[in-house]
Each structure stands twice: as structure tokens, then as C-alpha cells.
Amino acid sequence: MTARIALKSDVLIVGAGIAGCATALQLARRGKLVTLIERDQAGIRASGVNFGGVRQNGRDLRELPIAMRARAMWDELPGLIGFDGEFRATGNLRLASDEERVAQLDRFFTAATEQGLGLVRLDRAELKARYPWLSDRPIRGVLCPSDGHANPRLVGPAFAFAAQEAGATLIEHTEILEGWYANGAFHLRAADNRTFAAPMLVNCAGAWAGKIAGWFDEPVTLAPEIPQVQVTEPLPYRIEPVLGVMGGDFYLRQTFRGNILFGSGQGRATPDALRSRPLPETMRRGAEIAIAFIPHLAHVPIIRAWTGVDGDTSDGVCVLGPSETHPGLFHAFGFNGHGFLLGPAVGAVIAELILGGKTSTDIAGLGIGRFRPARKASAAPARGQHPDEERDASPEQNGAQNADRGSIGMERNEQAAGAHQRAEHGQDR
Amino acid sequence: MAGSPARILIIGAGPAGLRAAEMLAEAGCSPILIDEAPRVGGQIYRQPPRVPGFTRTASELYGAAADRARDLFVTFDRIRQRIDYRPSSLVYDLIDNRAIVASEGKSEEIAFDAMILATGAMDRIIPAPGWTLPGVYTLGAAQIALKHQGCAIGKRIAFVGGGPLLLLAAHQYAKAGAVPAAIVLPSRFESLAAAGLRLLPMPRELSSGLLWLLDLKRRGVPVLFGHRLVKVKGAESVTGIIAERAGRQRVIACDAVALGYGLRSETQLADLAGIRFVFDAERRQWLPETDPLGRAAGRKDIYLAGDGAGILGADAAEARGRLAAHALMTDLGIAHERYRPKPDKTAVACAERLQAAMRAAFDPPADLVTAIPDETILCRCERILAGELRALAGLLGAREVNRAKSFSRIGMGRCQGRLCGHAAAEILAGKLGISLDSVGRLRGQPPIKPVIVSTVAERKA
Ligand SMILES: Cc1cc2nc3c(=O)[nH]c(=O)nc-3n(C[C@H](O)[C@H](O)[C@H](O)COP(=O)(O)OP(=O)(O)OC[C@H]3O[C@@H](n4cnc5c(N)ncnc54)[C@H](O)[C@@H]3O)c2cc1C
Ligand SMILES: Cc1cc2nc3c(=O)[nH]c(=O)nc-3n(C[C@H](O)[C@H](O)[C@H](O)COP(=O)(O)OP(=O)(O)OC[C@H]3O[C@@H](n4cnc5c(N)ncnc54)[C@H](O)[C@@H]3O)c2cc1C
């Protein structure tokens, strides 16, 4: 029964995270027959467990155009999904505490301002005056007042809900194991042996998407990105902006209920990336940094920690756009631990590409082609700023860390290629 | 040299953990014994703080169980120098072969080759309107106040719920001079009497239960069988309760309520350790799976003992502590000749029968939880109403407790659902008309109990 409906679809989407659900919604709204296939449940993976930061501030400049489009869409969520996602524009404040990071932050400030992003630069005294709870550590801040935070536990599922209301078919608990192109259609085979076919396919499989791209001759090696977040007991609401520390791999926000969430470093995942858990050393490091930047936090109880898994590309920027090998195939993955903000716009951009063959958003730097083996050496541009997962690691450490973390569901030779890419990237920094 | 260089960790210094420590110490091992409490004894033999001038005898504190308590403390004093005892130390995370421990405002990582988890139990709570008012305590907390601090939770206390502990605690309070306002049990007198018959072969247990009941009757305490708690009354704090039987309501004036419907195993650490869980249909709880000696399923180096591996009571906890230590030493090839497991296995089997009878006597009717009114606060940490959970049931796949938690925040507060999790699962299953096991179980997350940021940050040298 379901299989028959699925066969009639115009577009198949693998992965019901925020990217897949937003894509399904946009396409269904425009009359496309969409089948959205999800291994687990809609919005239960990265999209449902993330830190909730809605942030343009500090983005890699290649992602800034789609980030700004996405940000505008967060204001329109009530019209799009029938609820505001608990999004509030409380601002995002990026902090730097050494000269090198200050220079980096200033460069971002100049470049992003040129692209039209509204930012406010703050020196140490201004930081102190505005945010008396901050320690003396930060010497520069850049505030993006239009940024903020939302509730990830509800946003992804709300997109899935809205997509279904608009006519998309959501098939949960169905893992796709195999995909191929034949007779003018993309075919997918699920673990229970059902097959699905349609003339178009969108790969929104999150941390697991690299393998799917590989089925269509354009593999991308994704390293697991396993951010770890801690949450405290509720306190009186004081900390308005979402904080991010440049190069320190630290971010923090307070919910309106009063709980303080802070993240830093990585947890641990099984090799298939299906299960992950927090690490005590990561929690300790996060606690140290939290106290260093907000001394009063020393006395607050942590009540819980969690992790989730996203996919890291080797250059820190997502893959978004058409396939270079198969017309009708589109990719949206590799969000490097900051794809929550992008979600709504990912859906809009992919829908434009599918329906009209082009998009009004500049996604030039995001194509999958940059990972094609032949062009590998020259194509990867310098890694810009994407501070949520930036690590203070020397190239050697970086390589070791990545080798340790491995890659998700990749064959050994692909893994080797990935390690090679990352090594090159390490030299870039 | 006797013993073994293996690093053996015991978590929990209640009857189970202490007996395990004794076995290991006698065999020449020197286990590390960790407990969150400042003194040994666990829940049942909890000791008052060491304060000059504040002394109470074992019989004052533990009544009929005083001999067992004394014996346990003597044992502890004997092995004290041969083990590495760490009081006031909370194990808040467990990963691979590392226990993460908070004590004195610092964190420490303790590696182990083998571990015995003897983490005990806590109260099973069924929420009712008003249960979050100041003056309502869990039964366990009420008992701890008495045993540990030597103070009562109120002057006129209503004891509501079930389990032998309810009668025992009420009896202990009465003896200490705080005569209860009433005992309110949803179970009917007939089921208690039937269970009593099953206990005829266990005269000690039967007579102590009867003794507590008769003592309460003698002191004029109303014992209301077959009554449900309708609500706890009060504006600022408890002023009374309303109990109901067959549509007839009764108001009981009181200034405190001790609430508990039996016990539930504390299993968070077992969960973090990756031990396999199975659904125990009798106890209606997911429990870590073990073999009869306590070897954990899915972890070769971990053993479980005592009420943390399914409620069997204090005497069985001692037996299970020894059995687990025996299994551990056998597996590690540590010589320990004198011990014969047979009597302890018999004691455990006997406790199984006793517990089955207790469940028959005291288990609340299934609809007691599922019928909680919508306006009842279900999750007290996050103030989520039962009705909010019901509204979410079924919505976009909230057919599973973790999904329901994600949508509703139930179990996201400081207790991580240890208190409300089971009621939430029952309500979800009841609303969806599916079995309790099919809604799954809340996953444990570190830290299993709140730990302050500076304690996490600071490493013990
Ligand atoms: C702890 C954490 C904190 C984060 N914090 C932030 C933040 O503050 N701000 C921000 O912008 N971003 C943040 N992110 C990143 C953000 O959550 C992700 O980038 C974003 O959710 C990615 O969405 P997605 O739809 O691509 O992935 P997912 O939500 O992971 O969805 C992919 C889906 O594909 C399914 N799937 C995969 N393979 C198959 C298959 N073969 N068959 C069927 N289904 C399949 C998966 O089950 C999954 O549901 C964070 C991530 C984590 C883990
Ligand atoms: C509050 C309460 C009162 C009770 N009173 C009685 C009674 O009066 N009579 C009776 O027959 N039964 C009583 N019981 C039942 C009781 O569970 C058993 O009879 C008996 O105590 C079980 O022994 P145990 O060794 O398995 O666990 P416990 O005696 O519960 O001992 C477990 C120990 O582990 C420690 N612990 C648990 N988790 C951690 C951690 N993460 N880190 C460090 N330490 C940890 C606890 O502090 C505790 O001391 C009571 C139960 C409770 C919950």
C-alpha cells in the first residue's frame, strides 16, 4: 500500500531531519508528490537534540547568504509551520579573548557587514557595561542582534507535521540501505525490502549522507561531529544573548525558563553514529570554560548532559545543491554542527532548484563538486570561521583527533581519502 | 599473598554493598567502597550523623532489625582498615571502566577492573492533586528524616500508599511520639489477608507486619484500606487530605503527608554502563538483566546486588551482596574457599516469595495511575500536568517515553524522571491503550544526580 503511494511520488527525500522536513514542506506546498523516508522518527536525530542556536554570527562567508535567508524565515515560522518554534531574537554574542581571535573576529565583522549583516562591535569596557556577569576574559565581542535561539525538540517535528498537512507522505522507521538510478528514476531499497522510485531524489541524511552520495558516484567523507551540551537547573533569567567563544569551542545560552545550556567539545559515538553519549572529560572542560567566562556559574548544579551526531565536511562548510553526476539528485548535508539555523532555507533553496532549476540564494561555495577527488587538492578553499566546532588544535592534533573519530559508514579506502583531505586542510590553517 | 591486584569498586554501602565488601576483604582484596551517604548502612540501616550528644541506640533506630544492623556495623568496623572506604562520594557518571565521583567539591575518576553496583532503591510515587505542596514527603524521605536527623516531618502525618515500608514507617513514627493521623492504602484488606496466608511459612515477616498494624490500631490510628488519595489539601502547605472509597469521601486533617507505593530500583548507573535491561512484568519496571548470582548482561566486569537489581528487601540484599562478590571472585580467579552460596541462594528464593506476596497485598490497582486527573502535576521538577502528557500521546509518534519527554519536558528536570518516570509511562501507555513495556524507558543521562559546575570542573589531585 505505502509502496504504491511511494511509487507515485515526484520526489523522494531520505532523512526527516529539519533539512528533509523543510524540503518536503516546500515541495508539497507547491503541489509535488513527496515521500519522506526516515530511519527513526522525524526530527529525532541532530535536528531534535541540538543546542538551539539560531546564528548567522561568525559563519563561514560561503554560508552567509543562505544563513541570512534562513534567518529571515525564522520570523515567518508561524505562517510556515503554524508555530513560532519558540524562536526569540535575543542576539548572538561572539567573544574573543586573545589578539589572534580578535583579529579573526574583526575580519568577520568587516566582511559580514559588507554583505549586509547587522553587527555591533564591542570592546572590553562595553562588554562589561552591557553584560556585567561576564568575566574579564573576553576583550572583544561582536553582537548579532538578529540572531537568537529556538526549541529544537519541537521545530523539526513541527516541520514534519506541516509537511504532512501539506500532503507529503512521511514514512518512519524505514532505513534505506541501497540506492541506484535506472530507467529514468531513482530507486531506493529499504531494510524491509520495500522499494521506492521517483524521478527526483533529495539526500538529507545528515551525518549518514556521505554514503548515500557515494551510491551515485560522488562520495563525500563526513567525520562525525558529536557536540556535547550540558544543562543546569533554572536560574533567574539574566543572560540574553547566545554566547559563543572564538576558538575556545564554547557556547552558552539561557532559556526563558531559566536553564542554562552550555556546550563544548565532543561526546562519543558508536562507529555507525547511531548512538552517542557524553564524555566526562568534555563535561569537565566545558565546566572550566563556563566558570572562566561567567564566574557565578560555579555554584549552579548541572542536571543533565547529552550529545547528538552531525556530519563534518573537510572544509567546515555544508554541501548544498544539485548532484554533478545525476540530474534530478540534490544534496543537503554536512552541516558541521550548525545546520539548525539553515533548515528552513535549505528547504526553500532545494525546492527552487527542483521546481525551477535555479535559486535566488548564492550557494556557489557549497557545491558537492568541491569534493570530487580530481579537484580535491585545489578546490578546498581556506576554512573560514565556523566557531561552534572550531578547535584549538595544531595540525598534528587535528589529524589525530580526526583519525580517532573516524568517519561514518565509509569503506576503508574512502576513509583514507578523507584523512588525506583533512591533512591538507590542516596545513591550510 | 592472598587477594588480587585487581581494582574492585563497590558502589553503595547498604546491606548488599557491605556484605560484598566483607567477602572481598576476607579474601584479601581491598575493594573501594563508595557511598553518597556520610555513613554506611544504606537506606534501611541509615545512621544518624556523628554529632556529640546525639546518640540513639540501634534498637531505637531499627527496631526488630537492630541485631542485623549491629552485625553489619560490627562487620564494617572489622574490615574498615582493609578496604578503601569513600563516604560522601557520589558516582555521577559511569563510562567504560571509569566511575566519575564527586566528593568534597571535586571530581575524581576511578578506574576499575570489576565493579559491584549495589545502589538500592527509592520510593515509587503516584502523583495526586496537591502532592507538590510543602509538607508532602516521599515515604523514604520521611523515614530518613527520622533515622538520620532524628526529626519528624510533621505533628500529625498521613501515611499514604502501600508496601510494608508504609506500615513500618508509620509504626516508627508512632514509637518516636508522632502518632500518625491516618494510614491510607488503596489495597483492600482482603488482599492483605490473602497475602498474610501466603506468609504463614514465614512467621517472622508475618508477625512483624501484624505487629506494626496492631500497634497502630492500639494507638487509635485509623487504617483506611481500599481508599484512594483524591487530593492533598492546603494553600501554603498541607492542611489535610481527601481519601475516597467507593464514591464516599473522607477528609483527614493533617500537617504532613508521607507518600510511597512501594519501591523502585535505582538503575541509572547500570543504564549508563550499557547493561542490558529487561522488562519485569511483575514489578512493572525495566531492570538490568543479571544471572542468578548478579552477573550483568552485556558487561563482563559488572555485577549487581541488592535492591538495585530488583526489590527483594534488606535480608536478601545481604545475601545478594555475598553472591555477587562470590561470582566476581570466581570470574577473576580469586581464591575464597570458605563460602558456600547455597544458604544465600535459598534466602533469595525465600525473599522472592515474600516480595510476590507483598506485591499481591500492596500493589495499587492499575487504574490508580492511569486515572490521575488531568490537572495533577505529574513532573514536579518541570511542573508538567498529567493532561499535557495525555494530549501529546500519539501526536506525531509520541508513543514512546523519550519522544514524549522531548515534546513535553517530562523527566527533563533535576530528578531525570526518577520520581515521575514510571507514572508518566503508565499514563502514556494507558492513554494509548498499549502495554507498559511498549512505551519504552527513559534513558539515563550523566550526571545522574545534580552536580555543581565547580565540582565538575575541579579535579581531585
Ligand atoms: C548537540 C548538537 C548541538 C548543535 N547545536 C546547533 C546549534 O546551536 N545551531 C545550529 O544551527 N546547529 C546546531 N547543530 C547542528 C544541527 O542540529 C544540524 O546541523 C541539523 O539539525 C542537521 O539537520 P539534518 O536534517 O541534516 O540532520 P538530522 O536531523 O540528523 O536528520 C537526518 C536524518 O536522516 C535520517 N537518515 C540517515 N540515513 C538514513 C537512511 N539511510 N535511511 C533513512 N533515513 C536516514 C536520520 O535518521 C536522520 O533523522 C547541533 C547539532 C548537535 C548534534
Ligand atoms: C528511603 C528508604 C527507606 C527504607 N527503609 C527500610 C526499612 O526501614 N526496612 C526495610 O526492610 N527496608 C527498607 N527499605 C528498603 C531497602 O531498599 C532495602 O531493605 C535495603 O536497604 C536494600 O539494601 P541495598 O544494599 O540493596 O540498598 P540500600 O540500602 O538502598 O543502599 C544503597 C546505597 O547506595 C548508595 N548509592 C546509590 N547510588 C549511589 C551513587 N550514584 N553514588 C554513590 N552512592 C550511591 C546509597 O547512598 C545507599 O547507601 C528502605 C528503602 C528506602 C528507599
Side-chain angles (χ1 to χ4, degrees), chain A residues 79-99:
Chain A
L80 204 54
I81 58 172
F83 124 103
D84 66 4
E86 295 176 18
F87 171 66
R88 300 289 181 278
T90 61
N92 178 290
L93 177 64
R94 300 201 80 68
L95 300 169
S97 48
D98 63 49
E99 290 306 332

Side-chain angles (χ1 to χ4, degrees), chain A residues 14-20 37-41 45-54 59 174-176 204-208 212 215 225 227-229 251 306-310 332-333 335 337-341 388:
Chain A
V14 182
I18 190 168
I37 307 167
E38 166 58 44
R39 176 184 53 214
D40 306 308
Q41 283 182 287
R45 291 287 172 181
S47 300
V49 299
N50 65 65
F51 168 73
V54 173
R59 285 262 164 191
T174 302
E175 181 178 9
I176 299 301
C204 293
W208 303 268
I212 294 182
W215 296 340
E225 164 78 27
Q228 175 170 329
V229 184
Y251 41 97
W306 72 90
T307 53
V309 187
D310 200 359
F333 64 85
F335 291 108
H338 45 228
F340 182 54
L341 158 98
D388 268 3

Side-chain angles (χ1 to χ4, degrees), chain B residues 350-418:
Chain B
C350 183
E352 301 264 13
R353 286 196 298 278
L354 174 65
Q355 282 305 317
M358 289 300 112
R359 285 196 298 271
F362 290 108
D363 262 8
D367 69 340
L368 191 66
V369 191
T370 50
I372 295 174
D374 276 348
E375 67 277 11
T376 315
I377 291 176
L378 177 58
C379 168
R380 76 171 174 187
C381 304
E382 298 289 315
R383 303 192 84 76
I384 313 293
L385 307 181
E388 294 179 62
L389 177 62
R390 290 201 179 99
L392 281 171
L395 175 72
L396 197 71
R399 302 175 67 83
E400 192 268 338
V401 282
N402 291 288
R403 187 71 158 168
K405 166 180 167 181
S406 168
F407 288 167
S408 70
R409 308 191 58 85
I410 278 185
M412 280 201 177
R414 62 174 292 147
C415 90
Q416 287 195 26
R418 286 157 68 234

Side-chain angles (χ1 to χ4, degrees), chain B residues 295-376:
Chain B
R295 293 184 177 96
R299 282 288 303 245
K300 281 198 162 52
D301 52 348
I302 299 185
Y303 302 77
L304 288 120
D307 277 357
I311 307 299
L312 285 181
D315 296 359
E318 293 187 42
R320 292 159 99 191
R322 280 188 295 262
L323 289 170
H326 167 65
L328 183 156
M329 290 192 283
T330 308
D331 295 349
L332 263 59
I334 301 169
H336 60 295
E337 284 117 68
R338 288 205 316 275
Y339 177 71
R340 295 281 163 271
K342 189 105 187 293
D344 281 335
K345 284 184 175 167
T346 310
V348 171
C350 183
E352 301 264 13
R353 286 196 298 278
L354 174 65
Q355 282 305 317
M358 289 300 112
R359 285 196 298 271
F362 290 108
D363 262 8
D367 69 340
L368 191 66
V369 191
T370 50
I372 295 174
D374 276 348
E375 67 277 11
T376 315

Side-chain angles (χ1 to χ4, degrees), chain A residues 17-23 45-56 59 63 66-67 70-71 74 152 155-156 159 204 206-207 225 227 309-312 316-320 332-347 366 386 388-389:
Chain A
I18 190 168
C21 293
T23 304
R45 291 287 172 181
S47 300
V49 299
N50 65 65
F51 168 73
V54 173
R55 168 181 69 80
Q56 310 152 87
R59 285 262 164 191
E63 277 185 5
I66 185 169
R71 169 58 191 86
W74 279 88
V155 171
F159 265 100
C204 293
E225 164 78 27
V309 187
D310 200 359
D312 273 2
V317 171
C318 69
V319 173
L320 184 75
F333 64 85
F335 291 108
N336 297 278
H338 45 228
F340 182 54
L341 158 98
L342 299 181
V346 166
L366 309 179
H386 43 92
D388 268 3
E389 37 52 80

